[in-house]
Amino acid sequence: MTKKEKILKKFNEKLWDIRYRELEFLLLNLWFRKIDAKGSHIKFKNNTIKNDIIIPLHNNECKYFYKKQVHKILKNNSLI
């Protein structure tokens, strides 16, 4: 099992347990580009979906709400 497959499995089964670095790795492997946004926010852009994903970081971690929001966006756009 590759690193991407392990993180994707964790993302689908234990969303609360995933770290920002793992989430970032997953998004970059799903053809998202990382763009620094204003302040402590990170923007991920993909040309196949309409909306950008914006994640605020505090102490190198993001809240569960944003992880859940990313999961919903990826599922709705059939990326996972």
Side-chain angles (χ1 to χ4, degrees), residues 11-22:
F11 186 65
N12 285 320
E13 294 175 2
K14 298 180 182 179
L15 185 59
W16 66 89
D17 200 27
I18 197 164
R19 296 271 178 213
Y20 168 73
R21 291 288 168 208
E22 295 169 323

Side-chain angles (χ1 to χ4, degrees), residues 24-71:
E24 177 184 39
F25 178 83
L26 183 63
L27 289 172
L28 292 175
N29 278 285
L30 291 173
W31 303 101
F32 280 85
R33 290 176 291 146
K34 182 179 173 183
I35 301 167
D36 288 333
K38 201 172 191 181
S40 62
H41 293 66
I42 305 294
K43 182 190 278 189
F44 292 93
K45 187 169 189 70
N46 186 327
N47 293 334
T48 60
I49 63 172
K50 187 171 103 175
N51 298 335
D52 297 338
I53 296 174
I54 300 172
I55 302 174
L57 286 180
H58 301 286
N59 298 326
N60 268 345
E61 195 52 54
C62 62
K63 294 193 179 201
Y64 175 72
F65 169 78
Y66 297 105
K67 296 173 190 177
K68 194 173 178 181
Q69 189 177 34
V70 170
H71 189 268

